[in-house]
Amino acid sequence: MALSQTQKQMSQLEFEQFRDLIYQESRIALRPHKKMLVMNRLAKRLRELNMDSYGDYYKYVVSTKGRQEELARMVDAITTNTTQFFREGKQFEFLDGHVWPHLLDLKLGSAAVRIWSSACSTGEEPYTIGISALEAQRRSPGRPVSILASDISDSALRTAREGIYPEDKVSGIPVVLLHKYFLKGAGRVKVKPELQRLIEFDKINLNDPFQRQLKGFDIVFCRNVIIYFDRQTQEELMMKYYEVLRPGGYLFLGHSETLHGMATDFEFIMASVYQKPTRR
Ligand SMILES: C[S@@+](CC[C@H](N)C(=O)[O-])C[C@H]1O[C@@H](n2cnc3c(N)ncnc32)[C@H](O)[C@@H]1O
């Protein structure tokens, strides 16, 4: 019979094994005091698999079958997916005031403006970017926009692709925009096709080498994810973003994230916003 949840304990050794495995898979660097967090987040997996101990679960995850069937779920359980529509409003004001008027200008050609929301979680970030771009195009018609939205978490990506949110999740969206871009159902809303079709969703681990098609971006969003990585991982990732951005392209980080003290060629524009120089 399965032990009750309160009886399950994780030894220090087991914690360190999980910590190393999580780091190998996602580069999420869990500090030594995060044992309780790991226990709580993996408890659901143990329950669902009807397993009695974290030790058994670890053995399963690293087995050949577990690597195929459980490893991604384990990483999924560990990730923090907190997000919201119009998060960090000042960045969207900056897009409206400075970025869209320049990037959407047809004098730059008719090719789409390419944006990457690279840790998109459940979709609120790329849908907000899409709304912001469509509103800018309504004010002044210009180049089309295409958004790649990616994350490591399968479950977050499922929600993002579906585009259905409970009403309390959209309370931060101005009512006019809510009516324009969402269909209303019973206690829920669904993103309208006009917005959904701007976005392509994909599973990408930021710490894998970037595939060749990841290039030529005008803007990359990497918000509220590098806080989970160690310094070396952060620096490697910033170098990869530098390569995939066009000259003059923008990098948006989360409000508590900075490139300060890192060896990169990005130029500081405003808090958490950086630009790849036009010429070097
Ligand atoms: C706190 S959410 C941030 C969501 C959104 N960018 C925002 O600022 O509201 C962090 C996201 O990073 C994702 N993540 C963590 N490690 C990752 C990795 N190695 N590659 C890709 N995504 C990762 C998580 O799955 C999670 O959805």
Side-chain angles (χ1 to χ4, degrees):
M1 196 178 82
L3 290 171
S4 82
Q5 208 47 52
T6 49
Q7 289 168 293
K8 286 179 194 147
Q9 287 302 320
M10 183 184 280
S11 70
Q12 189 57 24
L13 176 67
E14 285 161 356
F15 169 60
E16 281 160 23
Q17 287 174 323
F18 279 116
R19 210 169 59 150
D20 291 349
L21 187 59
I22 291 160
Y23 185 78
Q24 274 166 31
E25 289 306 306
S26 65
R27 297 277 198 105
I28 293 173
L30 292 160
R31 289 170 204 220
H33 66 276
K34 295 287 185 183
K35 182 169 143 188
M36 200 50 107
L37 177 135
V38 173
M39 280 174 66
N40 289 339
R41 292 197 175 172
L42 296 185
K44 188 161 171 250
R45 291 306 304 144
L46 265 71
R47 258 196 320 276
E48 283 168 358
L49 293 165
N50 207 19
M51 285 194 171
D52 282 342
S53 77
Y54 288 100
D56 288 349
Y57 179 63
Y58 180 79
K59 277 189 214 128
Y60 171 54
V61 178
V62 294
S63 69
T64 309
K65 184 165 183 264
R67 283 190 182 272
Q68 284 163 8
E69 293 180 8
E70 184 59 24
L71 194 53
R73 289 209 176 104
M74 183 201 71
V75 172
D76 211 334
I78 290 295
T79 55
T80 299
N81 303 122
T82 313
T83 185
Q84 65 193 64
F85 287 98
F86 287 94
R87 188 175 196 181
E88 286 148 43
K90 286 219 170 345
Q91 297 188 342
F92 291 97
E93 288 168 23
F94 179 69
L95 278 179
D96 285 347
H98 298 270
V99 181
W100 297 135
H102 167 64
L103 279 183
L104 298 182
D105 192 336
L106 286 164
K107 284 195 208 106
L108 296 179
S110 56
V113 176
R114 295 194 70 213
I115 301 154
W116 183 16
S117 166
S118 69
C120 72
S121 186
T122 39
E124 287 85 336
E125 179 178 281
Y127 287 126
T128 303
I129 300 166
I131 293 172
S132 167
L134 288 173
E135 286 297 294
Q137 284 169 333
R138 278 177 207 252
R139 286 192 297 273
S140 169
R143 297 166 69 203
V145 164
S146 82
I147 302 170
L148 169 66
S150 65
D151 202 279
I152 198 175
S153 160
D154 290 310
S155 63
L157 280 169
R158 259 195 306 279
T159 305
R161 279 198 185 96
E162 204 175 41
I164 298 176
Y165 300 94
E167 269 176 350
D168 62 323
K169 283 251 178 187
V170 293
S171 56
I173 303 178
V175 178
V176 187
L177 298 180
L178 196 57
H179 287 153
K180 239 192 249 181
Y181 295 107
F182 293 85
L183 299 162
K184 205 170 163 346
R188 301 189 303 172
V189 298
K190 174 153 180 45
V191 175
K192 283 190 182 172
E194 176 198 9
L195 174 57
Q196 211 153 20
R197 75 169 76 94
L198 297 186
I199 307 170
E200 186 195 327
F201 292 97
D202 202 358
K203 178 171 177 167
I204 297 175
N205 181 345
L206 292 173
N207 296 308
D208 285 344
F210 286 175
Q211 300 289 309
R212 276 223 312 273
Q213 72 273 18
L214 294 175
K215 63 173 184 208
F217 290 105
D218 297 286
I219 309 175
V220 171
F221 281 76
C222 173
R223 305 193 309 169
N224 304 300
V225 61
I226 64 167
I227 35 168
Y228 303 108
F229 301 153
D230 59 23
R231 181 70 168 206
Q232 189 193 338
T233 306
Q234 292 177 350
E235 288 196 3
E236 284 168 11
L237 184 57
M238 294 309 131
M239 280 194 256
K240 293 197 290 183
Y241 284 139
Y242 194 88
E243 291 308 314
V244 301
L245 274 165
R246 289 183 204 278
Y250 291 94
L251 173 69
F252 286 72
L253 301 180
H255 69 283
S256 63
E257 297 164 331
T258 170
L259 300 186
H260 185 74
M262 280 190 209
T264 82
D265 290 326
F266 279 111
E267 286 171 359
F268 176 84
I269 300 296
M270 59 180 253
S272 316
V273 180
Y274 296 84
Q275 188 172 27
K276 176 170 172 170
T278 317
R279 279 195 212 95
R280 298 194 55 203

